[in-house]
Every structure is written in C-alpha cells, then in structure tokens.
Amino acid sequence: MSGDLISALRERIVIMDGAMGTMLQERGMQPGQCPELFGIENPSILREIHEHYIEAGADIIETNTFGGNAFKLAEYGLADRTEEINAELVRIAREASRGRAWVAASIGPTGKLLRPMGDCTFDDLYAAFAQQIKACEKAGADLISIETMTDIGEMRAALIAARSESRLPVIAHMTFETGGRTMMGTDPLTALIIIEAFQPLAIGANCSGGAQQLLPVIEQMGQWTNRYLSVEPNAGLPQLVNGHTVFPDSPEDMAEYALRLRGAGANIIGGCCGTTPQHIQAMARALKNMAPVSRPAKKVFALASRSKNVIIGENQPLAFIGERINPTARKKLAQDIKDGKMQMVVEEARQQVNSGAPILDVNMGVPGIDEVRAMEKAVQEIQNAVDVPISIDSTNAEAIETGLKQFVGRPLINSTTGEDKQLDTILPLAKKYGAAVLGLCLDERGIPDRAEERLAIARKIYQRAKEYGLRDEDIFIDTLVKTASAEQGVVMETIKALQMVKRELGVGTVLGVSNVSHGLPAREILNSAYLAMAWSAGVDLPIVNPFDQRMMETIQAAAVLLNRDPGCSRYIELYRDYKPASQAARHPICEQCNIPSLLSNTPIAAESQPGKTATPGGSESTSIQQRLQQAVLEGSRDDIVSLLEEALQQGMEPLAVINEGLIPGIEKAGELFEQKRFFLPQLMMAAETMKTAFSYLKPLLKEESDAHAGTIVMATVEGDIHDIGKNIVCVLLENYGFKVIDLGKDVPACVILDAAEKEKADIIGLSALMTTTMPRMAEVIAGVRERNLSCKVMVGGAVLTQDYASQIGADAYSADARAAVVTAQRLLGLLR
C-alpha cells in the first residue's frame, strides 16, 4: 500500500480487517481442518476474503497464519512445512492487497504453557515464533500482529523474537476475560507496562467478550500511555439460535462501539471472531475522516511481575527493593544456594513480601558455583512463590540473561558500571528483554569522591543507553553510598549527586542505603536517618532490609511527609494502635506494622528478629498440619515430601495427612482464586504440589482407603484442537481427588460415550473453543440419554455461556478451571 503507516496513524483511525476463521468456515472449511492448509488449498477463497475486507475499508489485512507456528502445525503433521505455509499465505494476502492495504502477519499462541505449568521453555517459544516471523517477513509482510495471547510470558517470547529476528513494526494484542484480566491473571496496566518496554508500534487487545468488554481495557491503557493503541473485539459473545452459532453484535452495534473505542484512545480498530466485511464497512464509515484522540506524552517508571505492577515515582506510594536474597556474609544462605536447594531463598522471598517489600533483589553470587544455573532456578522458584517484580543482581552477563528469560514480567537489571565493556554487554540485554537497567556511578577509576564526577558517569551511562534505544523510563542510576566509618567527609556527596541526576537527567534513582553504616554500631539508626535524607533528595528505589523496623517506619513516615500517602491513610492504618518501645515489647516488623499478607489467615513463618532467618517451612510452634496446608497453598513442591515424611514420623496416618493437611491447603487456594487474590499460575502450582504429595502417599494408603472422589471422562469435542483450558481443568480435578480419563482433543462423540460407559464415569466433561464445534456437545448429551447412561455432563470453554449449556441440556456449565472443580463436587454431592 502506498503511504506510510505511521503518517496514517497520526492523521486518522486506521482500520484492520475482521474475522478469518469464521469466514473460512462459511466457505466450506470443516471443523478440525487446518485453517492454514485450507487457505493454501483454496487460494481463491482466501484471496476473496481478503479482497472483501479491503473493499469494506480495511487499511490492514491479516494473513491466515494465526496458527502457523510449528507447534500448532505439528497437530496436523505439518510442522516440517512451517516456513512454506507461512510464506504462501503471505503471498496470497499480498496478491489480494495489490497495494491497497498493508499486510500484517498474524502470529497466534502456540497452545503451550511455560514451565512449570507446562513443559515449554522460553527458548522453545522463541524458536517457534522466530521461525514463523522470519518466514513472514521474507515473504513480504509489512508488519507483525501478535494476537490473542492469554499468557504475558508467551507474549514476551513472541515480542523478543519479533524484535530480534525482524525489522517489521509490531502490534501486540492480549486477550482478556470477564473481570479484566487474562487467563493467567495479568491486568491491562501490567500488560501495558511489560509490553511497552519492547516499544512496539501499537499495544492493545483482541477477541475477548466483545467491544463492551474491551472498552475499559483500552480506556485504562489510554490513561497510562501515548503509544498507539489497537483493538479488535469479537462481535459479542456467541449464542446458539435454532442450532446455529450467532454472534449478537450487528454491524451497527460494532460501529457505535468503534466510536467509543476511538474516544478511549484507540488508533487501530478492527474485528475478531464473528465480524464480517459488513461489520468492518460499518466501522470504517463511522470512523471516516476522524482524527485520533490526542493523549499527552507519558513517562512511567515501573516494574512488573506476571500479575502485579509497581509504579515508581511522584504521586505514587513509596517503593523499595528488598535486599535479603544476597549470600554475601550469610553462610547458611550461601550454602542453600550452593546445594541448589533454594529453600532459604524462597523463604526469604516470602518473608520479605509479607513484610511489605514490593520488589526483590536476587543475587546468586556464591564463589565456585554455576551461577547461571543457580540464577535460573532461583528466578523460577521465586516467581512461583511470590508475585512481585525482581531485580536480577549479577556481574555475570550469562546469568543475567538466563534470569531475564525465566522471569515473566519486567525486571530491573542490577547492574552496569560506566565502563565501556560493561555498557556494551548489559545495555543490549535490557533492550532485548524489555528490562530496566541500573547504572552505577563507577568506572575504571573507581567511585569518584565528588558529586560532579559521579554525575559525569551518570551522563555517560544515560547517553549510551539512549544510543542503544532505551527510554528514559528504562534507566535507573545509583550514585553509590560510601561508608561513614571510613569516608565520613564524602557521605553527603551521594545525596548531592542524586539530586543532580534527578534534576538534569530525569531518570530513576536507586541507593543501597545500608552501605552507609558498615563498621558502626546501631546500624539501623544511621540507615534510617540516611534513608530519610535520600527520600527528601528524590530517591526512587532504595535497597533496604524489610525486616529492619526503623527502616520500615521511616518509609511509612516519609510517605506522609512527602505527600505520597493521601490522607495519611496508610500510616493511620498501620499505627493506630502503636505503642512506644518503652511501653510494649517490640515486635517483628511484619507484626508491628500489620503489613497485609496475601496469605493472611494462614500460618506464615515470620522472622523473630531483624537480620535473622526463620527456619524454612515454619516455626516450631506451627503444627505439621498447618505447615502442610501452607506448603500446598504456596506451591512448595520441593518442600512437600520432607513435610510428608515429618508428618508420618510424628505418627499421622496417610489419610489424616490428606484430610487435615493437604485438602485444607488446596481448598484455601481455591478460595483465594475465587476472591481474585490468587490467579491461575498460583492455583496450578498449588495443584501440582498436591499431585506430588498424592504420588508420595498413594503407595502408603490402604486399599479400602484408595478411593477417589469420582471418575470424570474429559475431552475436547470433535473438530476442535484447542486443549489448554481442558488440560488445566484435568490437573485441578486430579488434585482434588477425581480419577480423570483425558481423551485429548478432537474426540468424536462415540469415543467419548464408549469411554464413559467403559469407565463407569460419574461425569463427562466437554470443552470447546470454536463456535462451530459447540453443537458437538449436544451430540454427546443426546448420546448419554440414548444409551441411558447415569453420568452427568458438564461443559466449558471460552465461547460457551450458561444459556448455551441450558439449551443443549448440559447438567452444568463452568466458566473456569476452579469453577469446574466446584461444579464436579456439587454434581456428585461432595461439597460440605
């Protein structure tokens, strides 16, 4: 297409095309067929669909490559043709375009889950996306459209591949469920923070429950960024009308929502499932000649984990980095790391978060170990245990990169110096992996005494970071704290340099505050005073010990005095019952300040004294039953067997271990999930811990006790090859005591019925993600009645609703994996 896409986006709303899958189905593609292969074998049909969208007003058409990655094509035996298939589908789109529209290569999810929830690694995903993206670019695609991503970890892998292997502009779309989060628990702002760091052309959402559901997503993103926003909603949630699947939103409805989406800040607007050329035409007419809504420039300093973000800077709550996962001068922690156990590492992470730390520093610097492997395991274990951003702290570039691959979110790299070699090694990693980077005011000559010299190093780091393509909000500077006991005369130069950096460069700032007190008594007094000075000077992220009561009190007080605690509400909440130390015994900070814990009302191991590490797994006063519950709740697979052994040594019967320890833990996890305080990754880790525990206990159970809650036959119905949701449900059901017969995907009704009859199933569980395969569920239900089977049938899937389930006569409908467990228990009368 003639003309520049960037220029078009500045001037008007750019229109994308609509659905491809449903259009192919209307033209003869059968359920279960490979859409990509169907398009190649029927090029005239595919070309015609593209042309209809262009004629309707689409500025961008998407290639029929949504499932064109090697993982998806392998399900049809086509993995070895990945490059050929993608190239041909791009060629057909370009042929249809004839210069009238830009051609976007559609890149969809692989259907795989990252470890530990699945068996896929970052490198596996990267390789699959890189192969597909390179093939599409070589064939002539104008841009990349990554879409319908439910896992921000998979989105990261796709973005990194697109940025590293291609020069094409990228649109990045997540898909959100009812409640405003992705299937894996990522909210729109957290998704925006993680994705924006990769500087794609546009960020947004597609599919989901339709325009009404995506409107607040775009509104929220628009409040935090001035980057181009893109949205492709479904034509509403599908409904079954007279045996046919119908999307309820008419072209007129979609046109009205298009205007509202434009008002929310959308720059690119198109359609997803159920939208047709008629929908696109109505939207294009409604938006014709409309300029985009202007949004002011934003510079947001932020870090993020999978489902939690930390906004840093003015008008935000004070943030800090917990320093405790560092083996320096800590023999027991160093030994834990050296042994590869990570038990104390994980316990430190949990305790710091429970004490209020919003970000954790992760340092594996133990001499003589494989630091790369240690960092890999530490990051995996920490993000399984707690949901907060991290700072990857190492001088080993390979260890840093390994940590960046493992972490699902936007971390901070700690750190680089002002030395050229360091800058050339670390800054490209920050750019590639969407991380922020910490620059130390240190070079070949050491740490300068004077603030002006430290500022000069900060300027160099800043300039080099900008040359590598990093943004201001990707850069943090540490003006480096000198020790008062040795260099008292230059201690305040750090504060002066910090002020200069904030004033001149406008980047983020970090300080390792406790360094000031080395070698002096009563260190917490000096540390807290210095921290107060640093807050006043404008530090953004001090690195502190969250178990140090004085430091935590200083943070809360500073938030009031710096007007970062509106109405002093946080301070009042924490200290309404405060008593001076002279009147009451001092408590650990997590108790004194009543820091809210995600796992409140459950036994949390707390440190009894600042600087001391609690015994992993809980204190002696915590019962073994409580510790088992906690291990399940926290997904502690590595700890669960040792706890089981301890319980059995204490004389507990295996059934008592299950009923008093394990089941209450998984039930609590389910409750937290329903309360939106846990998300799917945490729920699955709890379930996997249960699975490990059951595997250990099963040989010890008496035969008469080796009963299960019920037998469930699970299947994705015929013609549907999507099974992530079904697989997750199977994992949870198994770990709630059900015997699960998983028949897989694309399963004919007769096979499902035969299995149910043979296994004497109590329940048949059916899944469908495609609207065209939904009626297959009705065939199974009819078969149950014809064969006079006594089993119940429950159904689920992203496209299903309770109304549809009722229409086809299902006994129950489940909206998500946790609901499926509760539904199964209810159907069998197992709920208490």
Side-chain angles (χ1 to χ4, degrees):
M1 179 180 180
S2 60
D4 177 57
L5 179 56
I6 300 296
S7 297
L9 285 166
R10 290 174 181 151
E11 297 169 1
R12 60 184 175 85
I13 303 299
V14 170
I15 305 297
M16 286 190 88
D17 62 8
M20 177 57 72
T22 47
M23 294 292 288
L24 292 174
Q25 290 158 7
E26 287 182 5
R27 285 159 174 77
M29 187 179 75
Q30 297 301 307
Q33 277 189 277
C34 175
E36 290 74 27
L37 187 60
F38 179 86
I40 289 175
E41 293 176 343
N42 298 275
S44 60
I45 291 176
L46 183 56
R47 194 179 303 111
E48 183 183 74
I49 293 170
H50 287 316
E51 290 172 345
H52 284 332
Y53 278 126
I54 294 170
E55 291 161 5
D59 300 302
I60 300 173
I61 58 171
E62 294 193 72
T63 59
N64 182 35
T65 55
F66 178 78
N69 61 75
F71 283 116
K72 280 291 186 182
L73 291 176
E75 296 172 356
Y76 303 98
L78 299 171
D80 60 340
R81 296 181 60 188
T82 298
E83 294 173 8
E84 169 203 340
I85 287 171
N86 281 276
E88 180 61 14
L89 291 170
V90 171
R91 187 194 67 77
I92 293 171
R94 286 183 58 81
E95 188 178 89
S97 168
R98 300 199 303 277
R100 298 173 295 166
W102 289 285
V103 174
S106 173
I107 308 295
T110 61
K112 298 293 183 180
L113 291 174
L114 280 165
R115 292 177 181 170
M117 292 173 290
D119 58 0
C120 219
T121 67
F122 170 89
D123 289 334
D124 294 334
L125 294 182
Y126 181 95
F129 289 126
Q131 180 186 29
Q132 185 182 14
I133 288 167
K134 286 192 290 186
C136 289
E137 180 178 30
K138 185 176 180 181
D142 298 306
L143 66 155
I144 302 294
S145 176
I146 304 170
E147 53 189 359
T148 325
M149 290 291 176
T150 61
D151 182 2
I152 194 68
E154 186 169 25
M155 171 61 85
R156 280 186 77 246
L159 279 168
I160 294 167
R163 282 274 302 273
S164 303
E165 307 289 348
S166 166
R167 296 184 178 181
L168 297 181
V170 179
I171 300 173
H173 285 144
M174 298 298 293
T175 185
F176 296 86
E177 298 186 341
T178 303
R181 288 182 181 265
T182 69
M183 182 177 74
M184 290 297 178
T186 307
D187 63 273
L189 177 55
T190 300
L192 175 72
I193 288 166
I194 294 169
I195 294 171
E196 190 173 19
F198 295 98
Q199 303 177 49
L201 173 68
I203 303 169
N206 76 301
C207 201
S208 309
Q212 183 177 11
Q213 185 173 313
L214 289 184
L215 180 60
V217 171
I218 299 303
E219 287 175 337
Q220 184 176 9
M221 288 184 173
Q223 293 169 5
W224 287 94
T225 184
N226 66 335
R227 190 163 290 276
Y228 297 124
L229 295 178
S230 178
V231 61
E232 294 181 284
N234 291 343
L237 285 171
Q239 302 172 356
L240 190 69
V241 178
N242 297 323
H244 297 284
T245 303
V246 175
F247 285 85
D249 290 358
S250 67
E252 293 73 26
D253 294 331
M254 292 287 283
E256 181 180 343
Y257 270 112
L259 293 172
R260 296 176 66 182
L261 288 164
R262 176 255 177 192
N267 304 89
I268 302 172
I269 301 177
C272 201
C273 302
T275 53
T276 66
Q278 289 73 34
H279 289 86
I280 299 305
Q281 184 177 57
M283 295 160 72
R285 286 176 176 173
L287 295 168
K288 188 175 182 180
N289 298 324
M290 279 196 172
V293 172
S294 177
R295 285 176 279 121
K298 299 278 187 180
K299 186 160 68 171
V300 179
F301 291 84
L303 302 176
S305 58
R306 187 193 295 273
S307 53
K308 187 174 292 182
N309 63 74
V310 177
I311 309 293
I312 301 158
E314 294 181 6
N315 304 318
Q316 299 297 325
L318 296 180
F320 64 91
I321 300 173
E323 68 183 9
R324 298 274 300 168
I325 305 176
N326 189 322
T328 303
R330 299 187 64 192
K331 292 182 179 179
K332 289 183 179 179
L333 181 62
Q335 191 62 48
D336 180 64
I337 294 169
K338 189 173 183 179
D339 294 342
K341 294 179 179 179
M342 300 299 166
Q343 193 173 11
M344 287 185 65
V345 169
V346 169
E347 194 64 25
E348 283 285 0
R350 289 195 179 112
Q351 290 175 16
Q352 288 187 90
V353 171
N354 289 329
S355 295
I359 303 164
L360 300 178
D361 192 66
V362 180
N363 184 309
M364 294 290 110
V366 178
I369 69 165
D370 182 348
E371 189 179 351
V372 174
R373 174 62 186 135
M375 183 64 77
E376 178 182 37
K377 187 170 184 182
V379 173
Q380 288 174 347
E381 296 292 335
I382 289 168
Q383 71 178 342
N384 291 342
V386 295
D387 184 23
V388 296
I390 67 170
S391 166
I392 299 172
D393 186 354
S394 178
T395 58
N396 183 322
E398 190 180 353
I400 291 172
E401 183 163 20
T402 296
L404 291 170
K405 287 181 179 180
Q406 297 304 316
F407 188 67
V408 178
R410 171 169 159 80
L412 174 69
I413 298 175
N414 181 10
S415 56
T416 181
T417 68
E419 299 170 84
D420 290 331
K421 183 178 180 181
Q422 275 281 298
L423 292 169
D424 291 336
T425 300
I426 301 301
L427 294 178
L429 292 177
K431 174 70 172 176
K432 179 177 180 178
Y433 291 97
V437 64
L438 173 57
L440 306 176
C441 291
L442 163 72
D443 59 16
E444 298 88 346
R445 299 164 295 176
I447 305 173
D449 284 342
R450 297 303 165 195
E452 292 79 7
E453 296 174 90
R454 297 188 208 182
L455 175 63
I457 296 174
R459 281 196 201 105
K460 177 182 177 180
I461 294 170
Y462 176 81
Q463 291 165 358
R464 292 292 296 278
K466 299 293 280 187
E467 289 170 7
Y468 273 105
L470 294 174
R471 308 165 300 162
D472 284 3
E473 50 265 52
D474 298 325
I475 306 166
F476 287 77
I477 296 294
D478 186 339
T479 52
L480 294 173
V481 177
K482 289 206 169 187
T483 304
S485 61
E487 300 179 88
Q488 190 174 358
V490 296
V491 165
M492 292 307 294
E493 290 295 307
T494 297
I495 301 294
K496 182 180 177 182
L498 189 154
Q499 292 171 316
M500 290 177 166
V501 166
K502 293 298 290 185
R503 183 168 55 248
E504 179 177 322
L505 302 181
V507 296
T509 51
V510 175
L511 280 183
V513 176
S514 61
N515 291 336
V516 76
S517 64
H518 277 305
L520 292 171
R523 293 185 62 190
E524 65 271 20
I525 297 174
L526 282 171
N527 292 344
S528 59
Y530 199 64
L531 176 61
M533 293 176 180
W535 280 129
S536 180
V539 71
D540 293 303
L541 277 179
I543 304 174
V544 304
N545 177 2
F547 305 142
D548 186 325
Q549 181 170 324
R550 287 183 185 270
M551 296 291 271
M552 297 299 285
E553 289 171 344
T554 299
I555 290 171
Q556 301 303 332
V560 172
L561 301 177
L562 294 171
N563 194 27
R564 304 274 284 275
D565 181 4
C568 308
S569 58
R570 177 68 170 166
Y571 186 85
I572 293 170
E573 175 191 350
L574 296 177
Y575 297 112
R576 66 173 72 249
D577 300 320
Y578 176 80
K579 292 181 181 179
S582 60
Q583 298 179 23
R586 300 187 73 149
H587 297 280
I589 184 63
C590 52
E591 295 176 7
Q592 168 71 28
C593 293
N594 190 29
I595 300 293
S597 166
L598 174 67
L599 308 179
S600 57
N601 301 322
T602 61
I604 296 294
E607 299 210 351
S608 58
Q609 298 178 37
K612 297 288 183 69
T613 303
T615 302
S619 66
E620 291 182 4
S621 62
T622 305
S623 72
I624 187 62
Q625 291 92 334
Q626 290 175 314
R627 290 160 62 198
L628 284 165
Q629 293 172 28
Q630 189 75 356
V632 172
L633 186 63
E634 295 175 343
S636 302
R637 290 180 301 171
D638 292 341
D639 298 340
I640 194 67
V641 171
S642 62
L643 287 173
L644 293 172
E645 290 172 345
E646 184 178 341
L648 295 172
Q649 288 170 4
Q650 290 183 14
M652 285 188 73
E653 292 293 329
L655 271 181
V657 172
I658 292 171
N659 292 327
E660 298 172 22
L662 303 179
I663 290 178
I666 196 69
E667 286 179 346
K668 181 65 176 179
E671 291 171 11
L672 292 171
F673 180 80
E674 291 170 351
Q675 296 165 9
K676 306 301 182 187
R677 297 169 67 192
F678 258 23
F679 301 105
L680 190 57
Q682 291 104 316
L683 186 61
M684 290 188 69
M685 289 305 299
E688 287 295 330
T689 303
M690 283 285 286
K691 186 175 182 179
T692 300
F694 278 136
S695 296
Y696 178 83
L697 291 173
K698 189 172 181 179
L700 306 178
L701 293 168
K702 298 177 182 178
E703 286 188 16
E704 60 269 23
S705 301
D706 194 18
H708 49 74
T711 299
I712 303 180
V713 169
M714 292 289 297
T716 300
V717 295
E718 185 177 9
D720 203 316
I721 48 82
H722 302 87
D723 64 350
I724 279 189
K726 184 262 297 173
N727 292 344
I728 292 170
V729 170
C730 288
V731 170
L732 292 184
L733 287 171
E734 285 178 345
N735 291 292
Y736 272 83
F738 291 95
K739 178 183 179 182
V740 177
I741 312 298
D742 185 0
L743 301 180
K745 55 196 173 188
D746 190 17
V747 186
C750 60
V751 175
I752 297 170
L753 293 166
D754 288 346
E757 197 166 7
K758 177 184 176 183
E759 299 291 341
K760 295 181 174 56
D762 299 292
I763 297 174
I764 294 174
L766 302 176
S767 173
L769 192 64
M770 299 166 60
T771 57
T772 52
T773 60
M774 290 163 59
R776 300 290 189 183
M777 293 180 166
E779 295 176 12
V780 176
I781 293 169
V784 168
R785 292 170 181 163
E786 289 172 6
R787 298 193 187 194
N788 199 28
L789 301 180
S790 60
C791 57
K792 304 290 187 181
V793 179
M794 65 179 190
V795 298
V799 295
L800 267 70
T801 63
Q802 179 62 63
D803 286 344
Y804 179 78
S806 299
Q807 287 181 47
I808 62 175
D811 295 291
Y813 158 75
S814 299
D816 56 48
R818 166 61 183 165
V821 172
V822 175
T823 298
Q825 291 174 324
R826 177 176 56 79
L827 287 175
L828 300 185
L830 300 175
L831 287 180
R832 297 177 181 176

